[in-house]
C-alpha cells in the first residue's frame, strides 16, 4: 500500500458534520473545500471552509447528491480526497468507486465493503462464517406469502419484517399474530419498493425490550482492526436515536470484550478499513445479536471520541492516506463517561413532527465538559430539504452521573426560539428514573413519555432554582447584585 498525502479535502456534506470534518482537517494543515446548495448560501459550513462552491439547487438530488458535479469541482480545485460525512453519498458504493476511478481518495471503506454492508441480507450472509450471533430469522429474501407465514410460525411471534435495503427505520413492520402476516408483508414490500427501489424483505424475531448497543471500529489498509468500545443508543423515537452514551451502563467487562470481538469479526468479513460501526441489539438476558454495519462516520461518534481521546476524523484521514493505525487494542482505554443529545427541529408534543422555521434565538451552552457540534447560527432558517438536526450537544464527566447532570445544566443553558426542538424531551428523559438507574430499553418513549409530562414541575430544577435564589440573596445582603436583577434565569429559559 503506497502512502498518498492528502493536502486538500472536499467535504461532500453540509451542516454540523461538514464543520466537524473541516476542524480536524485544519488541525492537520489540510485545505478544505465546501460544497453547498442554493438553499445553504448562508450556512456556516460555507463560511468555515477555505473555498466553497455552489453545486446546484436546493433539492439534494440536484446538489449534495450530484456525483458528476462534485467530481468536476474536485478536478477544478485540485482536490486530493473527498470526505462524505454521513447520509447523502456516504454509503453509495457507486460514488466511492467513481471517486477512486477519477484518481481521488475516498475517505471511507472500499466500494466492495459498502456494497455488502449496505444490504442487510448480504451483510448477514457475509458475517455468517465469523461466529457472530444473529437475531433468529432467515437470511434470504421472502416474496412468497406462504413461506412468510411458515417462517413466522417457526420463529415464533412477534416477528419483524424488514426491508433488506432498509435504513432510517423505514420498511420495518412488527407482526404479532399469524392473522396479520399477509397484510403486513404486502405493506412492507410496497413500502420498501417505494422507499428504496428494492422490495426484498426478510423476517426476524422481534426482540420486545431491546437495547441498541453498537461498537465503533477502526481498520487500516494493512489488515489491522481495533474496536473503540460501545455506544448505547437505546433512547429512540420512531426507531431512530435521540440520546446516546458511552460506555453503556448495561455491559460487564466480559460482555464488552465479547461484543468488541464480534464487531471485529464483522469488519473482517468485508475486509473493512476506515471507521465503521457494528450495530447490535441486546435482549433482556444481555445476549447480543448483529443488526447491521454502518460503513461511515456515525452521527454519535463524539461520545466515543470523548471517552477514548481519539479524533476519529483524524484517524479516517490517516487511514485513507495509507498509514497504519498508530495504536493497538491494548493501547485503548475507556476514561470517564460521555452523553450526546440530538437537537432536532421537531415537536415532541406533536409526536416528534419535524418543523421548519427561523432560529430567532440561538445561543448554545458552554463551560466545563460541554461540546456542541452545530451547523446553524441565529437568524438562519432550517431548510425543509434536509435532515432537521440543528446540533449535537455532548457532555463529558468523570462518571455517568456527572455527564448526566452536566447535560441537564447544558440543556438548561441552551437558548433556542423560533422552532420547537427535542431538547425538552431529552431533559425529561435524562431526569427519568429509568434513565438514571440505567434500566431502560428502546421502548422508553412509548413506555414513559406523554407530552403533558413536559409541563410538570421538575424537582431537580426546583432545587437548582432554590439554590440560585439563596445565592442571590446572600450576594444582595453583601451589597452585591440587587435582588431585582437577580431574577431566576433557571426558570425563565426555554419557556417560550
Ligand atoms: P435501520 O437501518 O432502518 O436504522 P436497523 O436494523 O439498524 O434499521 O434497526 C433500527 C432500530 O430498529 C434498532 O435500533 C432497534 O430499535 C429496532 N430493531 C431492529 N431490529 C429489531 C429486532 N429484531 N427486534 C426489535 N427491534 C429491532
Amino acid at each position: 500500500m503506497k502512502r498518498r498525502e492528502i493536502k486538500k479535502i472536499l467535504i461532500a456534506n453540509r451542516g454540523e458534520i461538514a464543520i466537524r470534518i473541516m476542524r480536524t482537517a485544519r488541525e492537520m494543515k489540510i485545505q478544505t473545500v465546501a460544497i453547498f446548495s442554493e438553499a445553504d448560501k448562508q450556512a456556516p459550513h460555507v463560511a468555515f471552509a477555505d473555498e466553497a462552491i455552489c453545486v446546484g439547487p436546493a433539492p439534494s438530488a440536484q446538489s449534495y447528491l450530484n456525483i458528476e458535479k462534485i467530481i468536476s469541482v474536485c478536478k477544478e480545485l485540485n482536490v486530493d480526497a473527498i470526505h462524505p460525512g454521513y447520509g447523502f453519498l456516504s454509503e453509495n458504493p457507486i460514488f466511492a468507486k467513481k471517486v477512486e476511478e477519477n484518481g481521488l481518495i475516498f475517505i471511507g471503506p472500499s466500494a466492495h465493503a459498502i456494497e455488502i454492508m449496505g444490504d442487510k441480507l448480504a451483510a448477514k450472509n457475509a458475517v455468517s462464517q465469523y461466529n457472530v450471533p444473529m437475531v433468529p430469522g432467515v437470511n434470504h429474501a421472502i416474496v412468497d406469502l406462504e413461506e412468510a407465514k411458515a417462517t413466522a410460525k417457526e420463529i415464533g411471534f412477534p416477528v419483524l419484517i424488514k426491508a433488506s435495503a432498509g435504513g432510517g427505520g423505514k420498511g420495518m413492520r412488527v407482526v404479532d399474530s399469524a392473522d396479520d402476516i399477509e397484510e403486513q408483508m404486502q405493506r412492507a414490500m410496497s413500502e420498501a419498493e417505494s422507499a428504496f427501489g428494492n422490495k426484498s424483505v426478510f423476517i426476524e424475531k422481534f426482540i420486545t425490550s431491546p437495547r441498541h448497543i453498537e461498537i465503533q471500529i477502526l481498520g487500516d489498509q494493512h489488515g489491522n482492526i481495533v474496536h473503540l468500545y460501545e455506544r448505547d443508543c437505546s433512547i429512540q423515537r420512531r426507531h431512530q436515536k435521540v440520546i446516546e452514551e458511552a460506555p453503556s451502563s448495561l455491559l460487564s467487562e466480559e460482555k464488552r470484550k465479547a461484543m468488541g470481538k464480534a464487531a471485529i469479526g464483522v469488519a473482517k468479513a468485508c475486509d473493512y478499513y476506515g471507521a465503521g460501526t457494528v450495530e447490535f441489539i441486546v435482549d433482556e438476558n444481555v445476549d447480543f445479536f448483529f443488526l447491521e454495519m454502518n460503513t461511515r462516520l456515525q452521527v454519535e461518534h463524539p461520545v466515543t471520541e470523548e471517552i477514548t481521546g481519539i479524533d476519529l476524523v483524524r484517524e479516517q484521514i490517516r487511514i485513507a492516506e495509507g498509514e497504519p493505525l498508530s495504536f493497538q487494542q491494548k493501547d485503548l482505554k475507556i476514561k470517564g463517561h460521555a452523553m450526546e443529545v440530538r437537537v432536532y427541529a421537531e415537536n415532541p408534543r406533536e409526536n416528534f413532527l419535524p418543523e421548519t422555521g427561523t432560529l430567532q434565538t440561538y445561543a448554545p451552552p458552554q463551560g466545563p465538559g460541554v461540546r456542541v457540534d452545530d451547523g446553524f447560527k441565529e437568524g438562519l432558517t432550517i431548510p425543509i430539504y434536509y435532515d432537521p438536526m440543528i446540533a449535537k450537544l455532548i457532555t463529558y464527566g468523570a462518571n455517568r452521573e456527572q455527564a448526566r447532570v452536566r447535560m441537564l445544566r447544558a440543556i438548561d443553558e441552551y437558548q433556542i426560539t423560533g422552532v420547537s426542538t427535542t431538547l425538552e424531551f431529552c431533559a425529561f428523559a435524562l431526569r427519568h428514573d429509568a434513565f438514571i438507574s440505567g434500566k431502560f430499553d428502546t421502548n422508553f418513549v412509548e413506555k414513559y413519555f406523554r407530552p403533558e409530562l413536559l409541563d410538570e414541575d421538575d424537582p431537580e430544577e426546583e432545587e437548582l432554582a432554590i439554590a440560585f435564589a439563596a445565592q442571590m440573596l446572600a450576594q444582595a445582603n453583601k451589597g452585591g447584585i440587587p435582588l431585582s436583577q437577580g431574577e431566576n434565569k433557571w426558570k425563565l429559559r426555554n419557556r417560550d
Side-chain angles (χ1 to χ4, degrees), residues 178-466:
D179 300 339
D180 301 333
I181 192 102
E182 196 165 326
E183 192 191 334
Q184 297 296 355
M185 273 292 288
Q186 254 142 7
R187 283 195 186 183
M189 287 190 329
S190 75
E191 206 173 296
E193 170 98 77
S194 66
F196 314 109
N198 174 356
K199 68 171 181 190
S200 144
V201 300
F202 61 98
I203 299 179
E204 64 186 28
K205 177 88 191 148
F206 180 66
I207 315 268
T208 42
S209 304
R211 295 277 276 237
H212 173 115
I213 299 183
E214 58 188 32
I215 306 285
Q216 174 70 53
I217 68 118
L218 273 179
D220 63 21
Q221 299 191 56
H222 307 271
N224 305 303
I225 305 178
V226 296
H227 73 83
L228 287 86
Y229 309 104
E230 78 278 8
R231 293 184 286 261
D232 193 322
C233 314
S234 303
I235 308 282
Q236 306 182 342
R237 42 102 186 77
R238 282 185 255 111
H239 292 309
Q240 293 299 295
K241 305 157 188 168
V242 61
I243 302 180
E244 300 101 346
E245 62 179 313
S248 168
S249 52
L250 187 73
L251 299 189
S252 63
E253 220 22 73
E254 196 186 335
K255 197 60 83 174
R256 177 167 292 124
K257 257 199 190 137
M259 288 183 80
K261 197 169 159 213
I264 290 176
V266 172
K268 284 198 171 139
C270 59
D271 298 321
Y272 201 82
Y273 57 78
T277 296
V278 181
E279 297 191 333
F280 294 97
I281 198 157
V282 183
D283 71 9
E284 293 110 319
N285 305 321
V286 202
D287 285 331
F288 62 90
F289 307 99
F290 171 62
L291 265 188
E292 64 165 349
M293 179 168 191
N294 290 325
T295 53
R296 53 167 164 84
L297 192 65
Q298 204 93 332
V299 176
E300 58 275 20
H301 77 276
V303 292
T304 301
E305 297 189 319
E306 296 298 320
I307 63 154
T308 58
I310 286 174
D311 177 339
L312 287 168
V313 174
R314 186 187 171 88
E315 295 309 317
Q316 284 189 298
I317 295 171
R318 291 188 65 261
I319 292 165
E321 286 181 322
E323 294 282 353
L325 287 179
S326 56
F327 47 83
Q328 298 173 8
Q329 193 66 54
K330 64 174 171 50
D331 303 322
L332 294 167
K333 236 204 251 100
I334 297 179
K335 187 162 178 260
H337 199 100
M339 288 184 183
E340 172 181 286
V341 307
R342 299 192 188 186
V343 188
Y344 282 103
E346 282 181 6
N347 191 346
R349 289 161 199 271
E350 299 289 340
N351 206 15
F352 296 91
L353 193 73
E355 275 193 7
T356 54
T358 300
L359 293 171
Q360 268 140 19
T361 319
Y362 182 76
Q366 296 180 342
V370 174
R371 164 175 169 182
V372 179
D373 283 18
D374 59 8
F376 281 94
K377 57 182 189 212
E378 200 163 273
L380 286 184
T381 298
I382 295 153
I384 49 165
Y385 304 97
Y386 321 111
D387 182 79
M389 197 173 77
I390 302 169
K392 301 180 319 205
L393 169 59
I394 302 108
T395 57
Y396 176 78
N399 52 45
R400 188 170 188 261
E401 185 55 11
Q402 190 179 39
R404 187 188 75 89
V405 170
R406 270 197 174 141
M407 183 61 87
L408 283 168
R409 186 268 292 169
I411 290 176
D412 205 44
E413 259 181 51
Y414 219 133
Q415 294 181 48
I416 301 179
T417 62
V419 286
S420 313
T421 75
T422 39
L423 276 176
E424 56 175 350
F425 163 75
C426 292
F428 163 84
L430 286 153
R431 286 194 187 104
H432 198 279
D433 286 345
F435 186 86
I436 296 172
S437 66
K439 292 191 182 78
F440 55 90
D441 57 49
T442 58
N443 301 313
F444 180 91
V445 169
E446 292 79 15
K447 261 193 203 156
Y448 305 117
F449 179 62
R450 289 190 316 278
E452 312 83 84
L453 297 174
L454 293 175
D455 301 318
E456 276 184 8
D457 269 339
D458 165 67
E460 242 179 280
E461 194 168 324
E462 210 85 324
E463 250 171 59
L464 283 172
I466 294 165

Side-chain angles (χ1 to χ4, degrees), residues 137-175:
V138 290
N139 278 11
H140 60 268
I142 297 188
V143 278
D144 180 69
L145 284 176
E146 288 311 310
E147 191 192 353
K149 275 187 208 163
T151 308
K153 245 189 211 150
E154 205 179 303
I155 298 171
F157 290 97
V159 297
L160 188 63
I161 306 174
K162 263 189 184 179
S164 185
K170 287 195 200 104
M172 269 192 261
R173 301 226 148 227
V174 183
V175 189

